[in-house]
PDB file of all heavy atoms in Angstrom:
ATOM      1  N   ASP A 256     -11.061   2.337   8.122  1.00  0.00           N
ATOM      2  CA  ASP A 256     -10.465   3.625   7.625  1.00  0.00           C
ATOM      3  C   ASP A 256      -9.070   3.753   8.204  1.00  0.00           C
ATOM      4  O   ASP A 256      -8.595   4.841   8.428  1.00  0.00           O
ATOM      5  CB  ASP A 256     -11.302   4.826   8.012  1.00  0.00           C
ATOM      6  CG  ASP A 256     -12.681   4.831   7.426  1.00  0.00           C
ATOM      7  OD1 ASP A 256     -12.877   4.103   6.388  1.00  0.00           O
ATOM      8  OD2 ASP A 256     -13.582   5.471   7.976  1.00  0.00           O
ATOM      9  N   PHE A 292      -7.201   4.144   0.505  1.00  0.00           N
ATOM     10  CA  PHE A 292      -7.717   3.356   1.598  1.00  0.00           C
ATOM     11  C   PHE A 292      -8.133   2.009   1.035  1.00  0.00           C
ATOM     12  O   PHE A 292      -8.594   1.889  -0.071  1.00  0.00           O
ATOM     13  CB  PHE A 292      -8.834   3.978   2.318  1.00  0.00           C
ATOM     14  CG  PHE A 292      -8.443   5.094   3.189  1.00  0.00           C
ATOM     15  CD1 PHE A 292      -8.583   6.446   2.798  1.00  0.00           C
ATOM     16  CD2 PHE A 292      -7.945   4.868   4.476  1.00  0.00           C
ATOM     17  CE1 PHE A 292      -8.233   7.452   3.636  1.00  0.00           C
ATOM     18  CE2 PHE A 292      -7.593   5.905   5.312  1.00  0.00           C
ATOM     19  CZ  PHE A 292      -7.701   7.223   4.904  1.00  0.00           C
ATOM     20  N   THR A 294     -10.446  -1.350   0.953  1.00  0.00           N
ATOM     21  CA  THR A 294     -11.743  -1.898   1.194  1.00  0.00           C
ATOM     22  C   THR A 294     -11.719  -3.316   0.707  1.00  0.00           C
ATOM     23  O   THR A 294     -10.747  -3.713   0.008  1.00  0.00           O
ATOM     24  CB  THR A 294     -12.845  -1.068   0.458  1.00  0.00           C
ATOM     25  OG1 THR A 294     -12.548  -1.175  -0.960  1.00  0.00           O
ATOM     26  CG2 THR A 294     -12.849   0.375   0.864  1.00  0.00           C
ATOM     27  N   ALA A 299     -10.245  -0.481  -4.832  1.00  0.00           N
ATOM     28  CA  ALA A 299     -11.418   0.402  -5.079  1.00  0.00           C
ATOM     29  C   ALA A 299     -11.700   1.392  -3.952  1.00  0.00           C
ATOM     30  O   ALA A 299     -12.700   2.061  -4.001  1.00  0.00           O
ATOM     31  CB  ALA A 299     -12.657  -0.510  -5.263  1.00  0.00           C
ATOM     32  N   GLY A 300     -10.799   1.450  -2.956  1.00  0.00           N
ATOM     33  CA  GLY A 300     -11.029   2.340  -1.824  1.00  0.00           C
ATOM     34  C   GLY A 300     -10.804   3.757  -2.136  1.00  0.00           C
ATOM     35  O   GLY A 300     -10.218   4.096  -3.207  1.00  0.00           O
ATOM     36  N   PRO A 301     -11.241   4.692  -1.261  1.00  0.00           N
ATOM     37  CA  PRO A 301     -11.098   6.133  -1.492  1.00  0.00           C
ATOM     38  C   PRO A 301      -9.646   6.523  -1.686  1.00  0.00           C
ATOM     39  O   PRO A 301      -8.746   6.018  -0.985  1.00  0.00           O
ATOM     40  CB  PRO A 301     -11.662   6.716  -0.214  1.00  0.00           C
ATOM     41  CG  PRO A 301     -12.669   5.742   0.290  1.00  0.00           C
ATOM     42  CD  PRO A 301     -12.075   4.414  -0.083  1.00  0.00           C
ATOM     43  N   ILE A 302      -9.421   7.412  -2.605  1.00  0.00           N
ATOM     44  CA  ILE A 302      -8.038   7.798  -3.012  1.00  0.00           C
ATOM     45  C   ILE A 302      -7.525   8.908  -2.132  1.00  0.00           C
ATOM     46  O   ILE A 302      -8.165   9.939  -1.883  1.00  0.00           O
ATOM     47  CB  ILE A 302      -8.066   8.233  -4.474  1.00  0.00           C
ATOM     48  CG1 ILE A 302      -8.331   7.079  -5.438  1.00  0.00           C
ATOM     49  CG2 ILE A 302      -6.754   8.929  -4.843  1.00  0.00           C
ATOM     50  CD1 ILE A 302      -8.655   7.416  -6.813  1.00  0.00           C
ATOM     51  N   VAL A 303      -6.340   8.688  -1.641  1.00  0.00           N
ATOM     52  CA  VAL A 303      -5.667   9.643  -0.721  1.00  0.00           C
ATOM     53  C   VAL A 303      -4.730  10.555  -1.539  1.00  0.00           C
ATOM     54  O   VAL A 303      -4.716  11.767  -1.394  1.00  0.00           O
ATOM     55  CB  VAL A 303      -4.826   8.954   0.329  1.00  0.00           C
ATOM     56  CG1 VAL A 303      -3.993   9.885   1.146  1.00  0.00           C
ATOM     57  CG2 VAL A 303      -5.745   8.104   1.250  1.00  0.00           C
ATOM     58  N   GLY A 342      -7.510  15.573  10.062  1.00  0.00           N
ATOM     59  CA  GLY A 342      -8.146  16.673   9.299  1.00  0.00           C
ATOM     60  C   GLY A 342      -8.764  16.155   8.014  1.00  0.00           C
ATOM     61  O   GLY A 342      -8.812  16.887   7.032  1.00  0.00           O
ATOM     62  N   TRP A 343      -9.277  14.979   8.021  1.00  0.00           N
ATOM     63  CA  TRP A 343      -9.933  14.388   6.821  1.00  0.00           C
ATOM     64  C   TRP A 343     -11.088  13.546   7.213  1.00  0.00           C
ATOM     65  O   TRP A 343     -11.248  13.132   8.383  1.00  0.00           O
ATOM     66  CB  TRP A 343      -8.909  13.484   6.044  1.00  0.00           C
ATOM     67  CG  TRP A 343      -8.295  12.402   6.886  1.00  0.00           C
ATOM     68  CD1 TRP A 343      -7.105  12.488   7.623  1.00  0.00           C
ATOM     69  CD2 TRP A 343      -8.805  11.093   7.043  1.00  0.00           C
ATOM     70  NE1 TRP A 343      -6.922  11.300   8.266  1.00  0.00           N
ATOM     71  CE2 TRP A 343      -7.919  10.444   7.929  1.00  0.00           C
ATOM     72  CE3 TRP A 343      -9.928  10.384   6.631  1.00  0.00           C
ATOM     73  CZ2 TRP A 343      -8.100   9.072   8.345  1.00  0.00           C
ATOM     74  CZ3 TRP A 343     -10.106   9.087   6.988  1.00  0.00           C
ATOM     75  CH2 TRP A 343      -9.219   8.455   7.847  1.00  0.00           C
ATOM     76  N   ARG A 344     -11.953  13.275   6.292  1.00  0.00           N
ATOM     77  CA  ARG A 344     -13.091  12.376   6.463  1.00  0.00           C
ATOM     78  C   ARG A 344     -13.347  11.712   5.119  1.00  0.00           C
ATOM     79  O   ARG A 344     -13.019  12.207   4.057  1.00  0.00           O
ATOM     80  CB  ARG A 344     -14.294  13.108   6.964  1.00  0.00           C
ATOM     81  CG  ARG A 344     -14.848  14.153   6.094  1.00  0.00           C
ATOM     82  CD  ARG A 344     -15.981  14.945   6.681  1.00  0.00           C
ATOM     83  NE  ARG A 344     -16.391  16.030   5.809  1.00  0.00           N
ATOM     84  CZ  ARG A 344     -17.263  15.958   4.828  1.00  0.00           C
ATOM     85  NH1 ARG A 344     -17.814  14.831   4.504  1.00  0.00           N
ATOM     86  NH2 ARG A 344     -17.584  16.979   4.106  1.00  0.00           N
ATOM     87  N   ILE A 345     -13.995  10.551   5.221  1.00  0.00           N
ATOM     88  CA  ILE A 345     -14.397   9.841   3.985  1.00  0.00           C
ATOM     89  C   ILE A 345     -15.878  10.132   3.721  1.00  0.00           C
ATOM     90  O   ILE A 345     -16.704   9.915   4.586  1.00  0.00           O
ATOM     91  CB  ILE A 345     -14.111   8.330   4.081  1.00  0.00           C
ATOM     92  CG1 ILE A 345     -12.588   8.082   4.155  1.00  0.00           C
ATOM     93  CG2 ILE A 345     -14.710   7.561   2.936  1.00  0.00           C
ATOM     94  CD1 ILE A 345     -12.172   6.670   4.373  1.00  0.00           C
ATOM     95  N   ASP A 346     -16.102  10.593   2.580  1.00  0.00           N
ATOM     96  CA  ASP A 346     -17.482  10.961   2.091  1.00  0.00           C
ATOM     97  C   ASP A 346     -17.756  10.129   0.872  1.00  0.00           C
ATOM     98  O   ASP A 346     -17.370  10.482  -0.267  1.00  0.00           O
ATOM     99  CB  ASP A 346     -17.501  12.461   1.799  1.00  0.00           C
ATOM    100  CG  ASP A 346     -18.935  12.912   1.355  1.00  0.00           C
ATOM    101  OD1 ASP A 346     -19.844  12.157   1.444  1.00  0.00           O
ATOM    102  OD2 ASP A 346     -18.980  14.076   0.841  1.00  0.00           O
ATOM    103  N   GLY A 347     -18.450   8.998   1.061  1.00  0.00           N
ATOM    104  CA  GLY A 347     -18.676   8.094  -0.068  1.00  0.00           C
ATOM    105  C   GLY A 347     -17.404   7.479  -0.548  1.00  0.00           C
ATOM    106  O   GLY A 347     -16.775   6.819   0.255  1.00  0.00           O
ATOM    107  N   ARG A 348     -17.010   7.775  -1.769  1.00  0.00           N
ATOM    108  CA  ARG A 348     -15.761   7.246  -2.333  1.00  0.00           C
ATOM    109  C   ARG A 348     -14.684   8.264  -2.259  1.00  0.00           C
ATOM    110  O   ARG A 348     -13.584   8.031  -2.799  1.00  0.00           O
ATOM    111  CB  ARG A 348     -16.025   6.816  -3.768  1.00  0.00           C
ATOM    112  CG  ARG A 348     -16.936   5.601  -3.905  1.00  0.00           C
ATOM    113  CD  ARG A 348     -17.136   5.274  -5.336  1.00  0.00           C
ATOM    114  NE  ARG A 348     -15.873   4.956  -6.035  1.00  0.00           N
ATOM    115  CZ  ARG A 348     -15.309   3.813  -6.087  1.00  0.00           C
ATOM    116  NH1 ARG A 348     -15.865   2.719  -5.418  1.00  0.00           N
ATOM    117  NH2 ARG A 348     -14.188   3.626  -6.722  1.00  0.00           N
ATOM    118  N   ARG A 349     -14.906   9.414  -1.685  1.00  0.00           N
ATOM    119  CA  ARG A 349     -13.925  10.497  -1.682  1.00  0.00           C
ATOM    120  C   ARG A 349     -13.374  10.731  -0.302  1.00  0.00           C
ATOM    121  O   ARG A 349     -14.038  10.606   0.721  1.00  0.00           O
ATOM    122  CB  ARG A 349     -14.537  11.812  -2.162  1.00  0.00           C
ATOM    123  CG  ARG A 349     -14.986  11.753  -3.609  1.00  0.00           C
ATOM    124  CD  ARG A 349     -15.352  13.122  -4.172  1.00  0.00           C
ATOM    125  NE  ARG A 349     -14.227  13.997  -4.209  1.00  0.00           N
ATOM    126  CZ  ARG A 349     -14.253  15.275  -4.611  1.00  0.00           C
ATOM    127  NH1 ARG A 349     -15.373  15.777  -5.028  1.00  0.00           N
ATOM    128  NH2 ARG A 349     -13.140  15.970  -4.683  1.00  0.00           N
ATOM    129  N   VAL A 350     -12.082  11.138  -0.231  1.00  0.00           N
ATOM    130  CA  VAL A 350     -11.487  11.647   0.978  1.00  0.00           C
ATOM    131  C   VAL A 350     -11.609  13.202   0.976  1.00  0.00           C
ATOM    132  O   VAL A 350     -11.097  13.821  -0.020  1.00  0.00           O
ATOM    133  CB  VAL A 350      -9.972  11.243   1.066  1.00  0.00           C
ATOM    134  CG1 VAL A 350      -9.368  11.782   2.364  1.00  0.00           C
ATOM    135  CG2 VAL A 350      -9.858   9.703   1.014  1.00  0.00           C
ATOM    136  N   ARG A 351     -12.216  13.695   1.951  1.00  0.00           N
ATOM    137  CA  ARG A 351     -12.418  15.165   2.076  1.00  0.00           C
ATOM    138  C   ARG A 351     -11.399  15.712   3.108  1.00  0.00           C
ATOM    139  O   ARG A 351     -11.309  15.180   4.186  1.00  0.00           O
ATOM    140  CB  ARG A 351     -13.816  15.514   2.504  1.00  0.00           C
ATOM    141  CG  ARG A 351     -14.916  15.011   1.627  1.00  0.00           C
ATOM    142  CD  ARG A 351     -15.086  15.816   0.383  1.00  0.00           C
ATOM    143  NE  ARG A 351     -16.300  15.403  -0.345  1.00  0.00           N
ATOM    144  CZ  ARG A 351     -16.692  16.018  -1.453  1.00  0.00           C
ATOM    145  NH1 ARG A 351     -15.979  17.007  -1.957  1.00  0.00           N
ATOM    146  NH2 ARG A 351     -17.802  15.610  -2.056  1.00  0.00           N
ATOM    147  N   TRP A 352     -10.639  16.735   2.721  1.00  0.00           N
ATOM    148  CA  TRP A 352      -9.636  17.334   3.536  1.00  0.00           C
ATOM    149  C   TRP A 352     -10.149  18.698   4.086  1.00  0.00           C
ATOM    150  O   TRP A 352     -10.715  19.475   3.370  1.00  0.00           O
ATOM    151  CB  TRP A 352      -8.344  17.542   2.821  1.00  0.00           C
ATOM    152  CG  TRP A 352      -7.842  16.264   2.148  1.00  0.00           C
ATOM    153  CD1 TRP A 352      -8.048  15.864   0.935  1.00  0.00           C
ATOM    154  CD2 TRP A 352      -7.019  15.285   2.794  1.00  0.00           C
ATOM    155  NE1 TRP A 352      -7.455  14.622   0.640  1.00  0.00           N
ATOM    156  CE2 TRP A 352      -6.823  14.233   1.830  1.00  0.00           C
ATOM    157  CE3 TRP A 352      -6.495  15.083   4.091  1.00  0.00           C
ATOM    158  CZ2 TRP A 352      -6.095  13.126   2.089  1.00  0.00           C
ATOM    159  CZ3 TRP A 352      -5.745  13.984   4.385  1.00  0.00           C
ATOM    160  CH2 TRP A 352      -5.540  12.997   3.371  1.00  0.00           C
ATOM    161  N   GLU A 353      -9.885  18.926   5.372  1.00  0.00           N
ATOM    162  CA  GLU A 353     -10.286  20.199   5.940  1.00  0.00           C
ATOM    163  C   GLU A 353      -9.554  21.386   5.235  1.00  0.00           C
ATOM    164  O   GLU A 353     -10.033  22.438   5.036  1.00  0.00           O
ATOM    165  CB  GLU A 353     -10.013  20.262   7.454  1.00  0.00           C
ATOM    166  CG  GLU A 353     -10.906  19.286   8.241  1.00  0.00           C
ATOM    167  CD  GLU A 353     -10.630  19.337   9.708  1.00  0.00           C
ATOM    168  OE1 GLU A 353      -9.680  20.062  10.116  1.00  0.00           O
ATOM    169  OE2 GLU A 353     -11.308  18.628  10.470  1.00  0.00           O
TER     170      GLU A 353
END
Side-chain angles (χ1 to χ4, degrees):
D256 300 336
F292 283 101
T294 62
I302 291 169
V303 175
W343 55 271
R344 62 185 173 85
I345 294 177
D346 180 11
R348 294 177 57 87
R349 296 190 64 180
V350 179
R351 303 281 189 180
W352 305 94
E353 289 179 359

